[in-house]
Amino acid sequence: EISYSNTYLKKLEPSVGSLSPTFDKETLNYEVTVGSEISSISFEAEAEDEEAVVYKEEIYNIEKGKNKIVIKVESPSKIVREYKITVTRERSNNNYLESLMVNGYNISPAFDKNEPNYEMTTEIGEEEIEVVAEAEDTNAEVTGDGIYSISLGEKEIDIIVTAENGETRVYTLTVTREADSNLNIESITPSEGTLSPSFENTKEEYILNVGPDAAYLSIEVVPESNLTKVTGNTDIEVENNKKVIITLTAESGDTREIEITIKKEEEYTNIEVDNSINLLKGEEKAIVIKNNVPEENLIITVENEEVVTNSGLRLTGIEKGQTKVTIKLKNKESVEKKVIVNVYSDKLESNEYIIEEKEKAKVSIYKDPTPRTTISDYISGYTNERNMVKVYTKEGELVEDYTEI
């Protein structure tokens, strides 16, 4: 009875390609992919039950794209099972040119279908050229060939080959028409400020000094040739030490760059500085002006030179204590900032312990006559500022927990 109703295939095999997934009698749907050159396919199909009938065609003609094929197995009891196969015939991906030429000219390098980039130079005065291109595959489409108008300088022509499956390949032909290469300059005139040194055609680097109120400017550059283009010389935002690059481009494509550095006279209206600074006795440390006011634009005074001395913004700790440093703008003395300077001892100090200094006091031996219970209690026996004292183990590791015994 089982055999009488058996509608399974025991074999299903395409003449070209392979089934996906691999054949299994329980699996009813498959896919096969074949190349664009395949126009027909057949299947070898064998039923498990010798009495069952397999319905299929000897040859299936297939179009490009997806093709649906159904193979039926009918058991002696007229039960039917269908195996469905989707055969995908790929479209050609050949998007190569067979030839590329320009009538009357040679291209460089010599044409090779695998090389995408070519160059050629026309005669002076040439107005148009004809590009001739032919695809390797007759089913591919070529665009970008034909007649082109040519102007002075460079022109890029893209020849695009579209394969039957839509994939594209681009061949680029760069056409150069010989032209004037004159890059000489007659004059350079800024809308604001003064050039230094004075203009000379052979010079390519200048400094442009402008006032503190300058915001935007332009620089007129007059080339000898009226066919030379100038870029980068307009709508220039003024910033101190900004480098402006002005580019001259001749018809030939040759370029020349003029570099102009803007020097803007600064007008300072405030001083940005930290409110306090800490240093050890004998240590030197500079006060940092955050808004970069030059030191020569500042007046700096120290309130107590027994604690701190200064050389401009550079301070030297003299004696433990606190003082103030006043900083003012020379051109606007009403603008001032006061910086609190704390000078700390560079040695451990205590009224309770005997400290034997050793190797510049970086390693010390402590003799504590009074037993302490915690590290925190122990540290309290030093007269140094608490945040200036650190405790290390014998192994040299910094102790973080001061509640330890």
Side-chain angles (χ1 to χ4, degrees):
E1 181 180 351
I2 294 174
S3 175
Y4 189 71
S5 61
N6 186 345
T7 57
Y8 286 111
L9 285 178
K10 70 176 181 179
K11 182 179 183 180
L12 179 61
E13 187 175 312
S15 60
V16 182
S18 58
L19 292 177
S20 177
T22 304
F23 175 71
D24 183 295
K25 68 180 183 180
E26 299 285 353
T27 302
L28 302 181
N29 294 286
Y30 299 91
E31 292 184 357
V32 177
T33 301
V34 298
S36 62
E37 72 280 2
I38 304 301
S39 60
S40 64
I41 191 171
S42 62
F43 289 89
E44 184 179 351
E46 186 178 342
E48 272 191 350
D49 187 346
E50 294 180 355
E51 298 298 323
V53 179
V54 177
Y55 294 97
K56 68 179 183 67
E57 296 180 17
E58 291 297 321
I59 298 291
Y60 294 92
N61 293 321
I62 53 176
E63 303 293 332
K64 289 180 178 178
K66 294 185 180 298
N67 300 263
K68 302 293 185 180
I69 295 174
V70 178
I71 296 176
K72 297 181 180 180
V73 183
E74 185 178 56
S75 70
S77 60
K78 303 301 180 182
I79 298 173
V80 176
R81 183 183 301 273
E82 293 183 348
Y83 290 86
K84 298 178 180 179
I85 305 113
T86 300
V87 180
T88 301
R89 180 182 173 186
E90 295 180 331
R91 300 181 188 277
S92 173
N93 64 353
N94 186 340
N95 53 16
Y96 286 102
L97 281 180
E98 184 174 48
S99 64
L100 175 64
M101 61 179 291
V102 177
N103 286 338
Y105 291 98
N106 293 323
I107 62 174
S108 177
F111 176 72
D112 180 327
K113 69 177 184 180
N114 295 304
E115 171 57 50
N117 297 306
Y118 298 89
E119 296 178 349
M120 62 162 289
T121 301
T122 70
E123 297 177 355
I124 295 175
E126 183 69 85
E127 294 183 354
E128 67 178 28
I129 61 171
E130 183 178 9
V131 179
V132 181
E134 185 177 348
E136 192 174 67
D137 186 342
T138 57
N139 292 316
E141 180 185 1
V142 178
T143 58
D145 55 346
I147 296 175
Y148 284 87
S149 296
I150 301 300
S151 58
L152 294 173
E154 286 188 354
K155 182 183 186 70
E156 284 192 355
I157 299 173
D158 288 335
I159 298 93
I160 303 172
V161 186
T162 304
E164 189 180 29
N165 68 351
E167 293 182 14
T168 60
R169 183 180 300 273
V170 179
Y171 293 86
T172 300
L173 175 64
T174 301
V175 181
T176 301
R177 178 178 169 182
E178 292 184 359
D180 184 9
S181 59
N182 186 350
L183 290 170
N184 289 329
I185 302 171
E186 291 186 351
S187 65
I188 298 178
T189 308
S191 61
E192 289 193 43
T194 306
L195 276 184
S196 177
S198 300
F199 167 75
E200 288 184 18
N201 176 54
T202 57
K203 294 178 180 176
E204 297 186 341
E205 293 186 7
Y206 298 89
I207 292 174
L208 177 57
N209 297 298
V210 299
D213 297 327
Y216 287 88
L217 57 82
S218 60
I219 302 172
E220 182 184 11
V221 177
V222 180
E224 281 186 355
S225 172
N226 60 3
L227 297 175
T228 298
K229 296 181 179 179
V230 179
T231 57
N233 62 320
T234 59
D235 296 325
I236 301 168
E237 185 176 2
V238 175
E239 295 175 8
N240 192 37
N241 293 320
K242 180 176 184 176
K243 292 186 183 299
V244 177
I245 304 298
I246 299 174
T247 304
L248 290 87
T249 305
E251 284 185 308
S252 62
D254 295 335
T255 60
R256 177 184 179 186
E257 290 186 345
I258 305 298
E259 180 181 296
I260 299 178
T261 302
I262 297 175
K263 294 291 185 181
K264 182 178 182 181
E265 181 184 339
E266 294 193 48
E267 182 179 5
Y268 298 100
T269 58
N270 69 327
I271 302 170
E272 295 179 12
V273 66
D274 288 334
N275 293 326
S276 64
I277 186 170
N278 300 326
L279 65 161
L280 300 172
K281 285 171 59 176
E283 182 183 7
E284 292 187 359
K285 188 178 292 187
I287 298 174
V288 177
I289 306 299
K290 295 183 178 180
N291 58 333
N292 299 317
V293 180
E295 189 171 316
E296 57 268 23
N297 290 6
L298 300 172
I299 301 172
I300 304 149
T301 55
V302 176
E303 184 177 278
N304 186 353
E305 293 188 347
E306 292 183 359
V307 176
V308 168
T309 60
N310 75 300
S311 175
L313 290 170
R314 192 156 196 84
L315 307 179
T316 301
I318 302 300
E319 190 59 59
K320 180 179 176 181
Q322 186 181 88
T323 188
K324 293 178 182 178
V325 174
T326 302
I327 305 172
K328 296 182 179 181
L329 288 175
K330 281 184 179 179
N331 63 345
K332 198 172 185 180
E333 293 191 24
S334 60
V335 176
E336 69 172 30
K337 285 294 175 92
K338 293 187 182 293
V339 179
I340 296 174
V341 182
N342 297 302
V343 179
Y344 298 124
S345 173
D346 60 342
K347 296 184 175 73
L348 286 166
E349 298 175 343
S350 174
N351 296 325
E352 299 183 33
Y353 307 148
I354 299 172
I355 304 172
E356 295 180 3
E357 297 187 4
K358 187 176 182 181
E359 295 183 4
K360 298 182 180 180
K362 291 185 178 179
V363 178
S364 301
I365 300 171
Y366 313 108
K367 294 182 179 179
D368 183 3
T370 306
R372 303 277 176 167
T373 58
T374 66
I375 292 174
S376 180
D377 290 335
Y378 175 71
I379 291 176
S380 67
Y382 291 95
T383 57
N384 301 80
E385 288 72 11
R386 183 66 172 260
N387 65 332
M388 299 297 289
V389 179
K390 298 185 186 302
V391 180
Y392 296 83
T393 66
K394 290 180 181 180
E395 292 75 22
E397 295 179 359
L398 181 65
V399 175
E400 303 287 353
D401 184 5
Y402 284 2
T403 63
E404 292 183 9
I405 301 299

Short mmCIF file of all heavy atoms in Angstrom, two decimals, residues 112-168:
data_model
loop_
_atom_site.label_atom_id
_atom_site.label_comp_id
_atom_site.label_asym_id
_atom_site.label_seq_id
_atom_site.Cartn_x
_atom_site.Cartn_y
_atom_site.Cartn_z
N ASP A 112 43.68 49.06 -24.78
CA ASP A 112 43.62 47.74 -24.14
C ASP A 112 42.32 47.72 -23.36
O ASP A 112 42.06 48.62 -22.55
CB ASP A 112 44.81 47.55 -23.20
CG ASP A 112 44.81 46.19 -22.51
OD1 ASP A 112 43.72 45.66 -22.22
OD2 ASP A 112 45.91 45.67 -22.22
N LYS A 113 41.49 46.72 -23.60
CA LYS A 113 40.16 46.73 -22.99
C LYS A 113 40.19 46.79 -21.47
O LYS A 113 39.22 47.22 -20.84
CB LYS A 113 39.36 45.51 -23.44
CG LYS A 113 39.86 44.17 -22.89
CD LYS A 113 38.95 43.03 -23.33
CE LYS A 113 39.37 41.70 -22.70
NZ LYS A 113 38.48 40.60 -23.13
N ASN A 114 41.31 46.39 -20.86
CA ASN A 114 41.42 46.40 -19.40
C ASN A 114 41.91 47.73 -18.84
O ASN A 114 41.91 47.93 -17.64
CB ASN A 114 42.35 45.28 -18.93
CG ASN A 114 41.81 43.91 -19.23
OD1 ASN A 114 40.71 43.57 -18.81
ND2 ASN A 114 42.57 43.11 -19.97
N GLU A 115 42.35 48.63 -19.72
CA GLU A 115 42.85 49.94 -19.29
C GLU A 115 41.73 50.98 -19.40
O GLU A 115 41.20 51.21 -20.49
CB GLU A 115 44.04 50.36 -20.15
CG GLU A 115 44.51 51.79 -19.93
CD GLU A 115 44.87 52.07 -18.49
OE1 GLU A 115 45.64 51.27 -17.91
OE2 GLU A 115 44.37 53.07 -17.92
N PRO A 116 41.37 51.63 -18.29
CA PRO A 116 40.22 52.55 -18.34
C PRO A 116 40.57 54.00 -18.70
O PRO A 116 39.68 54.76 -19.07
CB PRO A 116 39.67 52.48 -16.91
CG PRO A 116 40.88 52.21 -16.08
CD PRO A 116 41.79 51.35 -16.90
N ASN A 117 41.83 54.39 -18.61
CA ASN A 117 42.17 55.81 -18.76
C ASN A 117 43.10 56.05 -19.95
O ASN A 117 44.12 55.36 -20.10
CB ASN A 117 42.84 56.33 -17.48
CG ASN A 117 41.91 56.25 -16.29
OD1 ASN A 117 40.80 56.77 -16.32
ND2 ASN A 117 42.35 55.60 -15.22
N TYR A 118 42.76 57.09 -20.74
CA TYR A 118 43.55 57.41 -21.93
C TYR A 118 43.71 58.92 -22.04
O TYR A 118 42.92 59.69 -21.47
CB TYR A 118 42.87 56.85 -23.19
CG TYR A 118 42.77 55.34 -23.16
CD1 TYR A 118 41.65 54.72 -22.59
CD2 TYR A 118 43.79 54.55 -23.66
CE1 TYR A 118 41.57 53.33 -22.53
CE2 TYR A 118 43.71 53.16 -23.62
CZ TYR A 118 42.60 52.57 -23.05
OH TYR A 118 42.52 51.20 -22.98
N GLU A 119 44.73 59.33 -22.77
CA GLU A 119 44.99 60.74 -22.98
C GLU A 119 45.30 61.00 -24.44
O GLU A 119 45.76 60.11 -25.16
CB GLU A 119 46.19 61.21 -22.13
CG GLU A 119 45.98 61.11 -20.63
CD GLU A 119 47.21 61.54 -19.85
OE1 GLU A 119 48.27 61.71 -20.49
OE2 GLU A 119 47.10 61.71 -18.63
N MET A 120 45.07 62.24 -24.85
CA MET A 120 45.48 62.67 -26.19
C MET A 120 45.57 64.19 -26.19
O MET A 120 44.95 64.86 -25.36
CB MET A 120 44.48 62.21 -27.25
CG MET A 120 43.08 62.76 -27.08
SD MET A 120 42.09 62.63 -28.57
CE MET A 120 42.87 63.87 -29.60
N THR A 121 46.40 64.71 -27.10
CA THR A 121 46.56 66.15 -27.24
C THR A 121 46.20 66.55 -28.65
O THR A 121 46.68 65.95 -29.62
CB THR A 121 48.02 66.55 -26.94
OG1 THR A 121 48.35 66.14 -25.60
CG2 THR A 121 48.20 68.06 -27.06
N THR A 122 45.36 67.55 -28.77
CA THR A 122 44.95 68.04 -30.10
C THR A 122 45.89 69.14 -30.56
O THR A 122 46.70 69.67 -29.79
CB THR A 122 43.52 68.59 -30.07
OG1 THR A 122 43.52 69.82 -29.34
CG2 THR A 122 42.56 67.61 -29.46
N GLU A 123 45.75 69.48 -31.81
CA GLU A 123 46.50 70.60 -32.34
C GLU A 123 45.91 71.91 -31.81
O GLU A 123 44.73 71.98 -31.44
CB GLU A 123 46.44 70.60 -33.87
CG GLU A 123 47.09 69.38 -34.50
CD GLU A 123 46.93 69.39 -36.01
OE1 GLU A 123 46.23 70.29 -36.52
OE2 GLU A 123 47.51 68.50 -36.66
N ILE A 124 46.76 72.95 -31.76
CA ILE A 124 46.26 74.27 -31.38
C ILE A 124 45.22 74.71 -32.42
O ILE A 124 45.44 74.59 -33.63
CB ILE A 124 47.41 75.28 -31.32
CG1 ILE A 124 48.37 74.89 -30.19
CG2 ILE A 124 46.89 76.70 -31.10
CD1 ILE A 124 49.61 75.75 -30.13
N GLY A 125 44.06 75.15 -31.95
CA GLY A 125 43.01 75.60 -32.86
C GLY A 125 41.98 74.54 -33.17
O GLY A 125 40.96 74.84 -33.81
N GLU A 126 42.21 73.30 -32.72
CA GLU A 126 41.22 72.24 -32.97
C GLU A 126 39.91 72.60 -32.27
O GLU A 126 39.90 73.04 -31.12
CB GLU A 126 41.75 70.90 -32.45
CG GLU A 126 40.84 69.74 -32.71
CD GLU A 126 40.76 69.37 -34.17
OE1 GLU A 126 41.62 68.63 -34.66
OE2 GLU A 126 39.82 69.89 -34.83
N GLU A 127 38.79 72.39 -32.98
CA GLU A 127 37.49 72.75 -32.41
C GLU A 127 36.63 71.55 -32.06
O GLU A 127 35.76 71.65 -31.19
CB GLU A 127 36.73 73.67 -33.38
CG GLU A 127 37.40 75.01 -33.57
CD GLU A 127 36.60 75.93 -34.48
OE1 GLU A 127 35.58 75.46 -35.04
OE2 GLU A 127 36.97 77.10 -34.62
N GLU A 128 36.83 70.42 -32.75
CA GLU A 128 36.04 69.24 -32.41
C GLU A 128 36.79 67.97 -32.79
O GLU A 128 37.69 67.99 -33.64
CB GLU A 128 34.68 69.27 -33.11
CG GLU A 128 34.72 69.16 -34.61
CD GLU A 128 33.34 69.16 -35.23
OE1 GLU A 128 32.42 69.74 -34.64
OE2 GLU A 128 33.18 68.56 -36.32
N ILE A 129 36.44 66.89 -32.11
CA ILE A 129 36.99 65.57 -32.40
C ILE A 129 35.86 64.56 -32.46
O ILE A 129 34.76 64.81 -31.93
CB ILE A 129 38.02 65.13 -31.34
CG1 ILE A 129 37.34 65.03 -29.96
CG2 ILE A 129 39.22 66.04 -31.30
CD1 ILE A 129 38.21 64.39 -28.90
N GLU A 130 36.12 63.41 -33.11
CA GLU A 130 35.13 62.34 -33.17
C GLU A 130 35.67 61.10 -32.46
O GLU A 130 36.72 60.57 -32.84
CB GLU A 130 34.77 61.98 -34.61
CG GLU A 130 33.67 60.91 -34.70
CD GLU A 130 33.28 60.57 -36.12
OE1 GLU A 130 33.97 61.04 -37.05
OE2 GLU A 130 32.30 59.84 -36.29
N VAL A 131 34.95 60.67 -31.44
CA VAL A 131 35.33 59.48 -30.67
C VAL A 131 34.53 58.29 -31.20
O VAL A 131 33.31 58.34 -31.29
CB VAL A 131 35.05 59.67 -29.17
CG1 VAL A 131 35.42 58.42 -28.38
CG2 VAL A 131 35.80 60.89 -28.64
N VAL A 132 35.26 57.21 -31.56
CA VAL A 132 34.62 56.01 -32.09
C VAL A 132 34.89 54.86 -31.14
O VAL A 132 36.06 54.56 -30.84
CB VAL A 132 35.15 55.68 -33.50
CG1 VAL A 132 34.45 54.43 -34.04
CG2 VAL A 132 34.97 56.86 -34.44
N ALA A 133 33.82 54.21 -30.65
CA ALA A 133 33.97 53.11 -29.69
C ALA A 133 33.02 51.99 -30.07
O ALA A 133 31.87 52.23 -30.46
CB ALA A 133 33.67 53.60 -28.27
N GLU A 134 33.50 50.74 -29.92
CA GLU A 134 32.69 49.57 -30.26
C GLU A 134 32.78 48.56 -29.12
O GLU A 134 33.87 48.26 -28.62
CB GLU A 134 33.18 48.93 -31.56
CG GLU A 134 32.31 47.79 -32.04
CD GLU A 134 32.78 47.21 -33.38
OE1 GLU A 134 33.63 47.85 -34.03
OE2 GLU A 134 32.30 46.13 -33.75
N ALA A 135 31.62 48.02 -28.72
CA ALA A 135 31.57 47.07 -27.61
C ALA A 135 32.02 45.69 -28.06
O ALA A 135 31.83 45.29 -29.21
CB ALA A 135 30.17 47.00 -27.02
N GLU A 136 32.59 44.94 -27.12
CA GLU A 136 33.01 43.57 -27.40
C GLU A 136 31.80 42.65 -27.54
O GLU A 136 31.78 41.75 -28.38
CB GLU A 136 33.93 43.08 -26.27
CG GLU A 136 34.67 41.81 -26.55
CD GLU A 136 35.66 41.49 -25.44
OE1 GLU A 136 35.22 41.19 -24.32
OE2 GLU A 136 36.88 41.53 -25.71
N ASP A 137 30.76 42.88 -26.74
CA ASP A 137 29.53 42.09 -26.77
C ASP A 137 28.47 42.89 -27.53
O ASP A 137 28.17 44.04 -27.18
CB ASP A 137 29.06 41.81 -25.34
CG ASP A 137 27.88 40.87 -25.27
OD1 ASP A 137 27.20 40.69 -26.31
OD2 ASP A 137 27.63 40.31 -24.19
N THR A 138 27.89 42.28 -28.56
CA THR A 138 26.89 43.00 -29.36
C THR A 138 25.64 43.33 -28.56
O THR A 138 24.85 44.20 -28.96
CB THR A 138 26.50 42.16 -30.58
OG1 THR A 138 26.02 40.88 -30.14
CG2 THR A 138 27.70 41.96 -31.51
N ASN A 139 25.42 42.65 -27.41
CA ASN A 139 24.26 42.95 -26.57
C ASN A 139 24.52 44.11 -25.61
O ASN A 139 23.60 44.56 -24.92
CB ASN A 139 23.86 41.71 -25.76
CG ASN A 139 23.31 40.61 -26.64
OD1 ASN A 139 22.51 40.86 -27.54
ND2 ASN A 139 23.74 39.38 -26.38
N ALA A 140 25.76 44.57 -25.53
CA ALA A 140 26.09 45.69 -24.64
C ALA A 140 25.79 47.01 -25.36
O ALA A 140 25.77 47.08 -26.58
CB ALA A 140 27.55 45.63 -24.23
N GLU A 141 25.58 48.06 -24.55
CA GLU A 141 25.28 49.39 -25.10
C GLU A 141 26.43 50.34 -24.80
O GLU A 141 26.94 50.37 -23.68
CB GLU A 141 23.98 49.93 -24.48
CG GLU A 141 23.59 51.31 -24.99
CD GLU A 141 22.37 51.86 -24.27
OE1 GLU A 141 21.85 51.18 -23.37
OE2 GLU A 141 21.96 52.98 -24.60
N VAL A 142 26.82 51.12 -25.81
CA VAL A 142 27.90 52.09 -25.65
C VAL A 142 27.31 53.50 -25.73
O VAL A 142 26.58 53.83 -26.66
CB VAL A 142 28.97 51.92 -26.74
CG1 VAL A 142 30.06 52.99 -26.59
CG2 VAL A 142 29.58 50.53 -26.67
N THR A 143 27.64 54.32 -24.73
CA THR A 143 27.26 55.74 -24.75
C THR A 143 28.51 56.58 -24.50
O THR A 143 29.47 56.11 -23.87
CB THR A 143 26.21 56.07 -23.68
OG1 THR A 143 26.72 55.72 -22.39
CG2 THR A 143 24.92 55.31 -23.92
N GLY A 144 28.49 57.80 -25.01
CA GLY A 144 29.62 58.69 -24.79
C GLY A 144 30.52 58.83 -25.99
O GLY A 144 31.45 59.65 -25.99
N ASP A 145 30.30 58.02 -27.03
CA ASP A 145 31.08 58.20 -28.25
C ASP A 145 30.41 59.27 -29.11
O ASP A 145 29.31 59.74 -28.80
CB ASP A 145 31.22 56.88 -29.01
CG ASP A 145 29.87 56.24 -29.32
OD1 ASP A 145 28.85 56.66 -28.73
OD2 ASP A 145 29.83 55.32 -30.16
N GLY A 146 31.06 59.67 -30.21
CA GLY A 146 30.48 60.68 -31.09
C GLY A 146 31.36 61.90 -31.22
O GLY A 146 32.56 61.86 -30.93
N ILE A 147 30.77 63.02 -31.63
CA ILE A 147 31.51 64.25 -31.90
C ILE A 147 31.45 65.17 -30.68
O ILE A 147 30.38 65.38 -30.11
CB ILE A 147 30.95 64.95 -33.14
CG1 ILE A 147 31.16 64.04 -34.38
CG2 ILE A 147 31.61 66.30 -33.36
CD1 ILE A 147 30.55 64.57 -35.65
N TYR A 148 32.62 65.72 -30.32
CA TYR A 148 32.72 66.62 -29.16
C TYR A 148 33.37 67.93 -29.58
O TYR A 148 34.35 67.94 -30.33
CB TYR A 148 33.58 65.98 -28.05
CG TYR A 148 32.87 64.90 -27.28
CD1 TYR A 148 32.88 63.59 -27.72
CD2 TYR A 148 32.18 65.21 -26.11
CE1 TYR A 148 32.24 62.59 -27.00
CE2 TYR A 148 31.54 64.22 -25.38
CZ TYR A 148 31.56 62.92 -25.84
OH TYR A 148 30.91 61.94 -25.13
N SER A 149 32.83 69.03 -29.05
CA SER A 149 33.49 70.33 -29.20
C SER A 149 34.63 70.41 -28.21
O SER A 149 34.50 69.98 -27.05
CB SER A 149 32.50 71.46 -28.95
OG SER A 149 31.46 71.45 -29.92
N ILE A 150 35.75 70.98 -28.64
CA ILE A 150 36.94 71.06 -27.80
C ILE A 150 37.29 72.51 -27.53
O ILE A 150 37.33 73.33 -28.45
CB ILE A 150 38.14 70.35 -28.48
CG1 ILE A 150 37.80 68.88 -28.75
CG2 ILE A 150 39.39 70.45 -27.61
CD1 ILE A 150 37.47 68.08 -27.52
N SER A 151 37.53 72.83 -26.26
CA SER A 151 37.97 74.17 -25.88
C SER A 151 39.38 74.09 -25.32
O SER A 151 39.93 73.00 -25.15
CB SER A 151 37.01 74.78 -24.85
OG SER A 151 36.94 73.94 -23.71
N LEU A 152 39.95 75.23 -25.04
CA LEU A 152 41.30 75.26 -24.52
C LEU A 152 41.38 74.60 -23.16
O LEU A 152 40.48 74.71 -22.34
CB LEU A 152 41.78 76.71 -24.42
CG LEU A 152 41.94 77.45 -25.76
CD1 LEU A 152 42.25 78.91 -25.50
CD2 LEU A 152 42.99 76.81 -26.63
N GLY A 153 42.48 73.90 -22.92
CA GLY A 153 42.68 73.22 -21.65
C GLY A 153 42.35 71.75 -21.75
O GLY A 153 42.53 71.12 -22.80
N GLU A 154 41.84 71.18 -20.67
CA GLU A 154 41.54 69.74 -20.61
C GLU A 154 40.04 69.49 -20.66
O GLU A 154 39.26 70.28 -20.15
CB GLU A 154 42.11 69.12 -19.33
CG GLU A 154 43.60 68.95 -19.34
CD GLU A 154 44.11 68.16 -18.15
OE1 GLU A 154 43.29 67.84 -17.25
OE2 GLU A 154 45.30 67.87 -18.11
N LYS A 155 39.70 68.37 -21.28
CA LYS A 155 38.29 67.95 -21.30
C LYS A 155 38.26 66.44 -21.10
O LYS A 155 38.98 65.70 -21.78
CB LYS A 155 37.64 68.31 -22.64
CG LYS A 155 36.16 67.93 -22.74
CD LYS A 155 35.62 68.26 -24.12
CE LYS A 155 34.12 68.05 -24.22
NZ LYS A 155 33.36 69.04 -23.44
N GLU A 156 37.47 65.99 -20.15
CA GLU A 156 37.32 64.56 -19.90
C GLU A 156 36.07 64.03 -20.58
O GLU A 156 34.99 64.61 -20.43
CB GLU A 156 37.26 64.27 -18.40
CG GLU A 156 38.60 64.35 -17.72
CD GLU A 156 38.56 63.77 -16.31
OE1 GLU A 156 37.45 63.40 -15.85
OE2 GLU A 156 39.63 63.69 -15.67
N ILE A 157 36.24 62.96 -21.35
CA ILE A 157 35.12 62.32 -22.03
C ILE A 157 34.98 60.91 -21.47
O ILE A 157 35.93 60.12 -21.49
CB ILE A 157 35.36 62.26 -23.55
CG1 ILE A 157 35.49 63.68 -24.12
CG2 ILE A 157 34.23 61.51 -24.25
CD1 ILE A 157 35.89 63.74 -25.57
N ASP A 158 33.81 60.61 -20.95
CA ASP A 158 33.54 59.27 -20.41
C ASP A 158 32.77 58.45 -21.43
O ASP A 158 31.69 58.85 -21.87
CB ASP A 158 32.74 59.36 -19.11
CG ASP A 158 33.58 59.89 -17.96
OD1 ASP A 158 34.81 59.74 -18.02
OD2 ASP A 158 33.01 60.44 -17.00
N ILE A 159 33.34 57.31 -21.81
CA ILE A 159 32.65 56.35 -22.67
C ILE A 159 32.17 55.22 -21.76
O ILE A 159 32.98 54.56 -21.10
CB ILE A 159 33.57 55.81 -23.78
CG1 ILE A 159 34.03 56.94 -24.69
CG2 ILE A 159 32.85 54.77 -24.61
CD1 ILE A 159 35.33 57.56 -24.31
N ILE A 160 30.85 55.04 -21.69
CA ILE A 160 30.26 54.08 -20.75
C ILE A 160 29.73 52.88 -21.51
O ILE A 160 28.96 53.03 -22.47
CB ILE A 160 29.13 54.73 -19.93
CG1 ILE A 160 29.67 55.96 -19.19
CG2 ILE A 160 28.51 53.75 -18.97
CD1 ILE A 160 28.62 56.79 -18.52
N VAL A 161 30.16 51.70 -21.09
CA VAL A 161 29.68 50.45 -21.68
C VAL A 161 28.77 49.77 -20.66
O VAL A 161 29.20 49.48 -19.53
CB VAL A 161 30.85 49.51 -22.04
CG1 VAL A 161 30.32 48.28 -22.78
CG2 VAL A 161 31.88 50.24 -22.88
N THR A 162 27.49 49.56 -21.04
CA THR A 162 26.53 48.93 -20.15
C THR A 162 26.26 47.52 -20.65
O THR A 162 25.78 47.31 -21.76
CB THR A 162 25.21 49.71 -20.11
OG1 THR A 162 25.49 51.06 -19.72
CG2 THR A 162 24.24 49.09 -19.12
N ALA A 163 26.61 46.52 -19.81
CA ALA A 163 26.40 45.12 -20.18
C ALA A 163 24.91 44.80 -20.18
O ALA A 163 24.08 45.56 -19.68
CB ALA A 163 27.15 44.21 -19.22
N GLU A 164 24.59 43.63 -20.71
CA GLU A 164 23.20 43.21 -20.79
C GLU A 164 22.57 43.13 -19.40
O GLU A 164 21.37 43.40 -19.23
CB GLU A 164 23.13 41.85 -21.49
CG GLU A 164 21.73 41.38 -21.83
CD GLU A 164 21.74 40.03 -22.52
OE1 GLU A 164 22.66 39.24 -22.26
OE2 GLU A 164 20.82 39.78 -23.31
N ASN A 165 23.39 42.79 -18.37
CA ASN A 165 22.85 42.67 -17.01
C ASN A 165 22.84 44.00 -16.26
O ASN A 165 22.51 44.06 -15.09
CB ASN A 165 23.64 41.62 -16.22
CG ASN A 165 25.06 42.07 -15.92
OD1 ASN A 165 25.53 43.08 -16.44
ND2 ASN A 165 25.76 41.31 -15.10
N GLY A 166 23.22 45.09 -16.94
CA GLY A 166 23.17 46.41 -16.32
C GLY A 166 24.47 46.88 -15.72
O GLY A 166 24.59 48.05 -15.32
N GLU A 167 25.47 46.00 -15.61
CA GLU A 167 26.75 46.41 -15.04
C GLU A 167 27.46 47.34 -16.03
O GLU A 167 27.42 47.13 -17.24
CB GLU A 167 27.63 45.20 -14.74
CG GLU A 167 27.09 44.32 -13.62
CD GLU A 167 28.00 43.15 -13.32
OE1 GLU A 167 29.17 43.17 -13.78
OE2 GLU A 167 27.56 42.21 -12.64
N THR A 168 28.11 48.38 -15.49
CA THR A 168 28.74 49.38 -16.36
C THR A 168 30.25 49.41 -16.16
O THR A 168 30.77 49.06 -15.10
CB THR A 168 28.17 50.78 -16.08
OG1 THR A 168 28.43 51.13 -14.71
CG2 THR A 168 26.69 50.83 -16.35
#
